Amino acid sequence: QVQLVESGGGLVQPGGSLRLSCAASGVTLDNGAIGWFRQAPGKEREGVSCISGSTGSTWYADSVKGRFTISRDNAKNTVYLQMNSLKPEDTAVYSCATPRRYGGYCTGMQYDYDYWGRGTQVTVSS
């Protein structure tokens, strides 16, 4: 059974940083993909970043390029999202996800993912 558990969210001032974690069980991340998504109130869920297990290749949404960094620790079967220079518009529930079948790459499209964590709230406010 695949389980994803996010942690690390919280309240931070604009310009601050947070590191989110996505701990996986039931799936080996070095042979899979993890995507980070976020959903703000009243808005559609959007892809933020993803990392491919076999190649280590990454993808970032334009809105977070240069500010967010995705990484993984295979020994801990955990993916991280380091978020720097946070802005109020980054406020959302952040969730990680993984596909049932790994095709050797990752995408920022939510419909490519089958298993989801419950999410962690990130609030950027002064």
Side-chain angles (χ1 to χ4, degrees), residues 1 18 24 43 49 122:
Q1 181 180 2
L18 284 173
K43 294 189 176 181
S49 181
V122 171

Side-chain angles (χ1 to χ4, degrees), residues 11-64:
L11 172 65
V12 64
Q13 292 186 342
S17 298
L18 284 173
R19 188 178 80 156
L20 305 183
S21 300
C22 173
S25 60
V27 60
T28 304
L29 293 184
D30 60 359
N31 192 32
I34 288 288
W36 279 102
F37 295 82
R38 67 185 181 186
Q39 187 167 22
K43 294 189 176 181
E44 294 283 325
R45 179 185 286 167
E46 64 174 350
V48 175
S49 181
C50 70
I51 186 165
S52 172
S54 59
T55 65
S57 62
T58 58
W59 168 86
Y60 297 94
D62 287 343
S63 58
V64 306

Side-chain angles (χ1 to χ4, degrees), residues 60-114:
Y60 297 94
D62 287 343
S63 58
V64 306
K65 278 181 183 176
R67 301 188 298 123
F68 291 11
T69 303
I70 192 170
S71 63
R72 62 182 181 181
D73 184 333
N74 288 342
K76 294 183 178 180
N77 219 33
T78 298
V79 170
Y80 303 98
L81 186 68
Q82 177 68 43
M83 306 187 297
N84 299 328
S85 302
L86 283 162
K87 305 175 182 180
E89 51 263 43
D90 294 317
T91 296
V93 175
Y94 285 71
S95 302
C96 60
T98 192
R100 181 177 296 113
R101 294 179 180 178
Y102 175 53
Y105 59 91
C106 71
T107 77
M109 304 297 294
Q110 61 176 315
Y111 300 109
D112 287 337
Y113 295 82
D114 303 290

